[in-house]
mmCIF file of all heavy atoms in Angstrom:
data_model
loop_
_atom_site.group_PDB
_atom_site.id
_atom_site.type_symbol
_atom_site.label_atom_id
_atom_site.label_comp_id
_atom_site.label_asym_id
_atom_site.label_seq_id
_atom_site.Cartn_x
_atom_site.Cartn_y
_atom_site.Cartn_z
ATOM 1 N N GLN A 152 26.585 39.123 2.935
ATOM 2 C CA GLN A 152 26.976 39.566 1.608
ATOM 3 C C GLN A 152 27.598 40.979 1.663
ATOM 4 O O GLN A 152 27.383 41.689 2.599
ATOM 5 C CB GLN A 152 25.789 39.567 0.732
ATOM 6 C CG GLN A 152 25.132 38.184 0.511
ATOM 7 C CD GLN A 152 26.081 37.237 -0.159
ATOM 8 O OE1 GLN A 152 26.795 37.482 -1.097
ATOM 9 N NE2 GLN A 152 26.084 35.975 0.405
ATOM 10 N N GLY A 153 28.260 41.344 0.600
ATOM 11 C CA GLY A 153 28.746 42.696 0.378
ATOM 12 C C GLY A 153 27.657 43.593 -0.069
ATOM 13 O O GLY A 153 26.635 43.157 -0.612
ATOM 14 N N PRO A 154 27.797 44.874 0.151
ATOM 15 C CA PRO A 154 26.807 45.795 -0.320
ATOM 16 C C PRO A 154 26.597 45.711 -1.833
ATOM 17 O O PRO A 154 27.627 45.548 -2.592
ATOM 18 C CB PRO A 154 27.410 47.172 0.161
ATOM 19 C CG PRO A 154 28.306 46.913 1.287
ATOM 20 C CD PRO A 154 28.877 45.519 0.915
ATOM 21 N N GLU A 155 25.359 45.919 -2.324
ATOM 22 C CA GLU A 155 25.114 45.980 -3.753
ATOM 23 C C GLU A 155 24.612 47.425 -4.122
ATOM 24 O O GLU A 155 23.716 47.918 -3.446
ATOM 25 C CB GLU A 155 24.003 44.966 -4.076
ATOM 26 C CG GLU A 155 24.428 43.500 -3.922
ATOM 27 C CD GLU A 155 23.224 42.607 -4.126
ATOM 28 O OE1 GLU A 155 22.228 42.776 -3.439
ATOM 29 O OE2 GLU A 155 23.306 41.780 -5.077
ATOM 30 N N PHE A 156 25.127 47.904 -5.204
ATOM 31 C CA PHE A 156 24.807 49.287 -5.646
ATOM 32 C C PHE A 156 23.309 49.323 -6.087
ATOM 33 O O PHE A 156 22.857 48.413 -6.755
ATOM 34 C CB PHE A 156 25.740 49.626 -6.872
ATOM 35 C CG PHE A 156 25.275 50.870 -7.558
ATOM 36 C CD1 PHE A 156 25.565 52.064 -7.089
ATOM 37 C CD2 PHE A 156 24.582 50.703 -8.786
ATOM 38 C CE1 PHE A 156 25.194 53.208 -7.803
ATOM 39 C CE2 PHE A 156 24.161 51.834 -9.495
ATOM 40 C CZ PHE A 156 24.424 53.070 -8.997
ATOM 41 N N LEU A 157 22.652 50.368 -5.658
ATOM 42 C CA LEU A 157 21.278 50.596 -6.088
ATOM 43 C C LEU A 157 21.155 51.803 -6.975
ATOM 44 O O LEU A 157 20.568 51.668 -8.112
ATOM 45 C CB LEU A 157 20.354 50.831 -4.823
ATOM 46 C CG LEU A 157 20.160 49.628 -3.886
ATOM 47 C CD1 LEU A 157 19.350 50.053 -2.700
ATOM 48 C CD2 LEU A 157 19.569 48.442 -4.565
ATOM 49 N N THR A 158 21.681 52.927 -6.567
ATOM 50 C CA THR A 158 21.504 54.142 -7.391
ATOM 51 C C THR A 158 22.478 55.221 -6.911
ATOM 52 O O THR A 158 23.105 55.121 -5.817
ATOM 53 C CB THR A 158 20.091 54.710 -7.269
ATOM 54 O OG1 THR A 158 19.911 55.818 -8.238
ATOM 55 C CG2 THR A 158 19.758 55.218 -5.906
ATOM 56 N N TYR A 159 22.769 56.252 -7.704
ATOM 57 C CA TYR A 159 23.554 57.332 -7.251
ATOM 58 C C TYR A 159 23.229 58.631 -7.848
ATOM 59 O O TYR A 159 22.587 58.695 -8.901
ATOM 60 C CB TYR A 159 25.052 57.091 -7.363
ATOM 61 C CG TYR A 159 25.710 57.387 -8.676
ATOM 62 C CD1 TYR A 159 26.514 58.529 -8.789
ATOM 63 C CD2 TYR A 159 25.624 56.537 -9.820
ATOM 64 C CE1 TYR A 159 27.191 58.846 -9.975
ATOM 65 C CE2 TYR A 159 26.288 56.822 -10.914
ATOM 66 C CZ TYR A 159 27.051 57.972 -11.035
ATOM 67 O OH TYR A 159 27.689 58.276 -12.259
ATOM 68 N N PHE A 160 23.535 59.708 -7.083
ATOM 69 C CA PHE A 160 23.204 61.113 -7.516
ATOM 70 C C PHE A 160 24.498 61.839 -7.551
ATOM 71 O O PHE A 160 25.374 61.718 -6.803
ATOM 72 C CB PHE A 160 22.232 61.780 -6.482
ATOM 73 C CG PHE A 160 20.952 61.214 -6.349
ATOM 74 C CD1 PHE A 160 20.719 60.050 -5.548
ATOM 75 C CD2 PHE A 160 19.854 61.723 -6.965
ATOM 76 C CE1 PHE A 160 19.418 59.506 -5.428
ATOM 77 C CE2 PHE A 160 18.580 61.201 -6.875
ATOM 78 C CZ PHE A 160 18.357 60.089 -6.122
ATOM 79 N N GLN A 161 24.509 62.769 -8.579
ATOM 80 C CA GLN A 161 25.442 63.858 -8.511
ATOM 81 C C GLN A 161 24.737 65.100 -8.425
ATOM 82 O O GLN A 161 23.911 65.532 -9.325
ATOM 83 C CB GLN A 161 26.376 63.874 -9.804
ATOM 84 C CG GLN A 161 27.402 64.982 -9.759
ATOM 85 C CD GLN A 161 28.637 64.758 -10.520
ATOM 86 O OE1 GLN A 161 29.124 63.595 -10.660
ATOM 87 N NE2 GLN A 161 29.116 65.710 -11.313
ATOM 88 N N ASN A 162 24.914 65.845 -7.324
ATOM 89 C CA ASN A 162 24.029 66.954 -6.947
ATOM 90 C C ASN A 162 22.640 66.414 -6.894
ATOM 91 O O ASN A 162 22.387 65.465 -6.254
ATOM 92 C CB ASN A 162 24.274 68.082 -7.867
ATOM 93 C CG ASN A 162 25.717 68.600 -7.836
ATOM 94 O OD1 ASN A 162 26.337 68.744 -6.804
ATOM 95 N ND2 ASN A 162 26.291 68.777 -9.025
ATOM 96 N N GLU A 163 21.672 67.093 -7.561
ATOM 97 C CA GLU A 163 20.265 66.634 -7.589
ATOM 98 C C GLU A 163 19.925 65.635 -8.636
ATOM 99 O O GLU A 163 18.822 65.106 -8.660
ATOM 100 C CB GLU A 163 19.259 67.782 -7.508
ATOM 101 C CG GLU A 163 19.307 68.601 -8.881
ATOM 102 C CD GLU A 163 20.383 69.621 -8.963
ATOM 103 O OE1 GLU A 163 21.291 69.548 -8.069
ATOM 104 O OE2 GLU A 163 20.346 70.449 -9.894
ATOM 105 N N ALA A 164 20.867 65.368 -9.523
ATOM 106 C CA ALA A 164 20.578 64.509 -10.716
ATOM 107 C C ALA A 164 20.843 63.047 -10.343
ATOM 108 O O ALA A 164 21.930 62.681 -9.897
ATOM 109 C CB ALA A 164 21.462 64.928 -11.858
ATOM 110 N N GLN A 165 19.857 62.162 -10.599
ATOM 111 C CA GLN A 165 20.055 60.737 -10.415
ATOM 112 C C GLN A 165 20.677 60.254 -11.662
ATOM 113 O O GLN A 165 20.024 60.218 -12.710
ATOM 114 C CB GLN A 165 18.687 60.060 -10.187
ATOM 115 C CG GLN A 165 18.786 58.638 -9.782
ATOM 116 C CD GLN A 165 17.439 58.000 -9.308
ATOM 117 O OE1 GLN A 165 16.453 58.549 -9.647
ATOM 118 N NE2 GLN A 165 17.523 56.914 -8.596
ATOM 119 N N LEU A 166 21.900 59.745 -11.601
ATOM 120 C CA LEU A 166 22.671 59.416 -12.823
ATOM 121 C C LEU A 166 22.522 57.960 -13.189
ATOM 122 O O LEU A 166 22.619 57.645 -14.405
ATOM 123 C CB LEU A 166 24.146 59.707 -12.627
ATOM 124 C CG LEU A 166 24.449 61.230 -12.422
ATOM 125 C CD1 LEU A 166 25.954 61.486 -12.447
ATOM 126 C CD2 LEU A 166 23.758 62.083 -13.534
ATOM 127 N N GLU A 167 22.286 57.072 -12.324
ATOM 128 C CA GLU A 167 22.152 55.649 -12.656
ATOM 129 C C GLU A 167 21.325 54.905 -11.593
ATOM 130 O O GLU A 167 21.344 55.234 -10.403
ATOM 131 C CB GLU A 167 23.509 55.017 -12.697
ATOM 132 C CG GLU A 167 23.493 53.590 -13.251
ATOM 133 C CD GLU A 167 24.857 52.968 -13.536
ATOM 134 O OE1 GLU A 167 25.838 53.739 -13.677
ATOM 135 O OE2 GLU A 167 24.933 51.790 -13.557
ATOM 136 N N LYS A 168 20.534 53.991 -12.105
ATOM 137 C CA LYS A 168 19.759 53.038 -11.169
ATOM 138 C C LYS A 168 20.092 51.664 -11.561
ATOM 139 O O LYS A 168 20.053 51.263 -12.750
ATOM 140 C CB LYS A 168 18.226 53.271 -11.391
ATOM 141 C CG LYS A 168 17.805 54.677 -10.939
ATOM 142 C CD LYS A 168 16.262 54.718 -10.790
ATOM 143 C CE LYS A 168 15.608 54.576 -12.105
ATOM 144 N NZ LYS A 168 14.076 54.632 -11.928
ATOM 145 N N SER A 169 20.363 50.805 -10.584
ATOM 146 C CA SER A 169 20.643 49.398 -10.813
ATOM 147 C C SER A 169 19.445 48.669 -11.298
ATOM 148 O O SER A 169 18.273 49.115 -10.875
ATOM 149 C CB SER A 169 21.208 48.793 -9.561
ATOM 150 O OG SER A 169 21.133 47.338 -9.611
ATOM 151 N N ARG A 170 19.657 47.563 -11.955
ATOM 152 C CA ARG A 170 18.483 46.771 -12.308
ATOM 153 C C ARG A 170 17.874 46.025 -11.060
ATOM 154 O O ARG A 170 16.715 45.616 -11.101
ATOM 155 C CB ARG A 170 18.948 45.635 -13.298
ATOM 156 C CG ARG A 170 19.168 46.180 -14.740
ATOM 157 C CD ARG A 170 19.720 45.115 -15.612
ATOM 158 N NE ARG A 170 21.140 44.861 -15.220
ATOM 159 C CZ ARG A 170 21.898 43.958 -15.849
ATOM 160 N NH1 ARG A 170 21.411 43.205 -16.772
ATOM 161 N NH2 ARG A 170 23.152 43.743 -15.482
#
Side-chain angles (χ1 to χ4, degrees):
Chain A
Q152 298 297 316
E155 294 176 297
F156 168 80
L157 293 179
T158 187
Y159 87 103
F160 295 81
Q161 180 156 321
N162 300 314
E163 66 276 11
Q165 188 173 20
L166 297 188
E167 186 173 340
K168 293 193 298 184
S169 164
R170 284 172 290 178

